[in-house]
């Protein structure tokens, strides 16, 4: 399906690219090497409207359509994968479910601060014993009058160290499997709620990925997000859109690696000519370009379906699966084009390779995407 971006979408693409190259790219290497969260970028993202892209204007957001949003995630990730996932987790995983499942009171209380960047958002679903099996959630939420008491642990929470608003899932009824899980909005300063130090990771090293602990943490019953016992539905609907955003991140990482490989191939001279003259390199460039374009079109298709209000879960899973594999292939080839120097930190090829590896894991592994896709055809 061919996609012709609208004038507004093209403006989004160019303006986000200009912002990312001016404000995000210059610190990307330092953020990665020092495993440092780019805290100084957050207010700038807020001023640009990039933290409120999925929030309606009436709550302080910019109310972008899903395709424009994913274009923005690609452009941010092209310059810095850490910044791309910072915005994606904040927007797709925290802001989106509040927009779609929150009460009017919840929306007016939480969305303006999320849109401006006064508070970052995070999403707490994964647990030590409940990763792909989200129905195995063990964190509990026990009703006590007009409060819920939360006990348990979450792991691998993006933005955990800096978020002020968390969408968290806990088992609030005795119903088996996924039917007993509810969604809650948890504020950072809740007594009994603590955030542990960040994980030391292979890639997206500046992203603050932390465990969360709940020790008799009391939250108002008014912070129940959606219906009690229907939290698993909230989580899955949230991930349908979030997976498209992660696929867009994969496209951005691959695009950056590709552009650097092309540049190096034109400059590196061997056997008396640039290596771009060698057919072996030309075919690698051709395959990389084709791979990226295929991934981008899958992202656009999933985002377009979502924007038109049509079922998009299968398209999102396809985009996520393909782009997770594609980003790894392309960044691997980019290192090969660079040769020995591609294996060193002198060039960014190795950073893109490390960043790309997570695309096939978080927000649903490649294997989970295959289950989602196959069930849609075999049910």
């Amino acid at each position: 399906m061919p996609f012709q971006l609208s004038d507004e979408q093209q403006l989004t693409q160019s303006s986000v690219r200009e912002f990312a190259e001016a404000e995000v790219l210059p610190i990307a290497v330092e953020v990665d090497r020092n495993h440092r969260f780019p805290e100084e970028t957050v207010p700038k993202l807020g001023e640009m409207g990039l933290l409120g892209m999925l929030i309606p204007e009436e709550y302080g957001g910019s109310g972008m359509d899903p395709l424009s949003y994913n274009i923005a995630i690609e452009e941010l990730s092209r310059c810095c994968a850490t910044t791309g996932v910072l915005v994606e987790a904040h927007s797709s995983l925290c802001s989106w479910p509040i927009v779609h499942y929150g009460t009017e009171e919840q929306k007016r209380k939480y969305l303006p601060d999320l849109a401006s960047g006064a508070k970052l958002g995070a999403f707490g679903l994964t647990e030590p014993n409940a990763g792909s099996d989200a129905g195995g959630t063990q964190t509990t939420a026990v009703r006590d009058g007009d409060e819920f008491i939360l006990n348990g642990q979450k792991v691998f929470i993006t933005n955990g160290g800096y978020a002020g608003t968390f969408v968290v899932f806990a088992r609030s009824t005795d119903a088996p499997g996924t039917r007993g899980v509810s969604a809650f909005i948890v504020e950072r300063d809740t007594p009994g709620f603590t955030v542990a130090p960040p994980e030391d990771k292979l890639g997206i090293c500046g992203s603050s990925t932390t465990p969360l602990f709940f020790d008799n943490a009391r939250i108002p019953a008014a912070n129940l997000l959606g219906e009690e016992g229907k939290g698993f539905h909230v989580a899955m609907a949230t991930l349908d859109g979030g997976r498209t955003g992660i696929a867009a991140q994969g496209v951005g990482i691959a695009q950056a690696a590709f552009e650097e490989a092309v540049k190096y191939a034109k400059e590196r001279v061997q056997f008396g000519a640039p290596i771009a003259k060698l057919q072996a390199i030309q075919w690698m460039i051709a395959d990389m370009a084709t791979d990226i374009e295929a991934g981008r079109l899958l992202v656009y298709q999933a985002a377009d379906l979502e924007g038109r209000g049509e079922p998009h879960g299968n398209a999102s899973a396809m985009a996520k699966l393909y782009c997770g594999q594609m980003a790894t292939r392309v960044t691997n080839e980019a290192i090969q084009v660079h040769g020995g120097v591609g294996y060193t930190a002198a060039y960014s090829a190795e950073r893109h390779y490390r960043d790309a590896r997570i695309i096939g894991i978080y927000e649903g592994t490649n294997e989970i995407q295959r289950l989602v896709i196959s069930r849609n055809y075999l049910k």
Side-chain angles (χ1 to χ4, degrees):
M1 181 187 298
F3 280 94
Q4 179 61 49
L5 300 184
S6 67
D7 291 343
E8 185 176 352
Q9 288 164 343
Q10 291 181 51
L11 179 60
T12 295
Q13 187 177 54
S14 60
S15 62
V16 176
R17 176 170 292 196
E18 182 179 353
F19 168 83
E21 290 181 345
E23 302 291 347
V24 176
L25 184 59
I27 63 172
V29 171
E30 184 269 326
V31 161
D32 174 74
R33 289 182 181 174
N34 293 325
H35 292 221
R36 182 180 70 80
F37 186 80
E39 193 171 3
E40 69 273 32
T41 307
V42 173
K44 299 173 184 177
L45 291 165
E47 291 170 7
M48 275 287 293
L50 297 178
L51 295 178
M53 289 187 283
L54 299 182
I55 297 174
E57 293 180 4
E58 62 186 294
Y59 303 109
S62 46
M64 284 188 184
D65 64 277
L67 181 50
S68 295
Y69 165 72
N70 282 282
I71 289 170
I73 295 298
E74 177 189 337
E75 293 298 333
L76 291 170
S77 301
R78 172 177 164 268
C79 290
C80 175
T82 284
T83 304
V85 76
L86 180 165
V87 175
E88 196 277 339
H90 167 91
S91 302
S92 294
L93 301 185
C94 183
S95 300
W96 189 92
I98 296 175
V99 168
H100 289 269
Y101 294 96
T103 64
E104 186 62 25
E105 181 181 356
Q106 288 171 342
K107 293 176 185 179
R108 296 201 177 280
K109 181 177 181 180
Y110 293 107
L111 293 179
D113 280 350
L114 289 170
S116 69
K119 289 186 178 179
L120 276 180
F123 178 86
L125 178 62
T126 303
E127 298 183 0
N129 295 312
S132 294
D133 179 18
T137 296
Q138 296 177 355
T139 297
T140 59
V142 177
R143 186 73 179 250
D144 183 24
D146 60 356
E147 294 180 318
F148 280 93
I149 304 173
L150 271 62
N151 281 283
Q153 178 184 357
K154 301 292 180 179
V155 293
F156 304 137
I157 308 305
T158 303
N159 294 343
Y162 292 84
T165 303
F166 298 76
V167 172
V168 173
F169 298 84
R171 187 168 297 282
S172 66
T173 76
D174 293 330
T178 63
R179 289 176 290 169
V181 177
S182 298
F184 301 90
I185 301 172
V186 179
E187 298 178 32
R188 187 180 189 88
D189 59 0
T190 300
F193 172 46
T194 57
V195 179
E199 303 286 352
D200 190 3
K201 306 184 299 297
L202 172 71
I204 55 167
C205 294
S207 177
S208 179
T209 308
T210 71
L212 310 177
F213 292 94
F214 301 90
D215 183 10
N216 291 323
R218 289 181 172 269
I219 64 170
N223 282 26
L224 177 68
L225 183 61
E227 297 180 44
E228 186 172 0
K230 300 293 181 65
F232 188 76
H233 173 75
V234 173
M236 294 303 102
T238 300
L239 289 172
D240 277 349
R243 286 167 176 165
T244 308
I246 293 300
Q249 184 190 20
V251 173
I253 295 169
Q255 182 67 37
F258 171 74
E259 290 173 4
E260 290 167 17
V262 168
K263 181 176 183 292
Y264 185 81
K266 290 178 177 180
E267 296 174 348
R268 174 64 169 169
V269 174
Q270 290 287 275
F271 309 107
I275 62 173
K277 297 290 185 179
L278 300 172
Q279 188 180 67
I281 300 298
Q282 293 169 358
W283 285 15
M284 291 167 70
I285 296 298
D287 287 344
M288 293 163 72
T290 303
D291 237 1
I292 294 168
E293 190 62 18
R296 182 177 288 117
L297 288 172
L298 283 170
V299 169
Y300 283 12
Q301 175 177 261
D304 181 65
L305 287 170
E306 182 180 1
R308 290 190 278 117
E310 297 186 22
H312 58 280
N314 196 58
S316 175
M318 286 181 169
K320 172 73 163 57
L321 171 62
Y322 184 83
C323 290
Q325 297 172 316
M326 176 276 290
T328 300
R329 285 195 300 268
V330 168
T331 54
N332 180 61
E333 290 292 84
I335 289 179
Q336 196 70 18
V337 170
H338 282 79
V341 297
Y343 197 69
T344 73
Y347 288 81
S348 291
E350 59 85 28
R351 170 167 62 91
H352 300 316
Y353 181 74
R354 289 185 287 105
D355 288 341
R357 188 60 188 87
I358 191 61
I359 304 299
I361 298 175
Y362 61 5
E363 293 196 35
T365 63
N366 288 344
E367 292 70 31
I368 288 296
Q369 305 317 310
R370 289 188 173 95
L371 283 176
V372 171
I373 296 164
S374 63
R375 285 172 180 173
N376 277 305
Y377 291 101
L378 297 175
K379 65 184 177 182

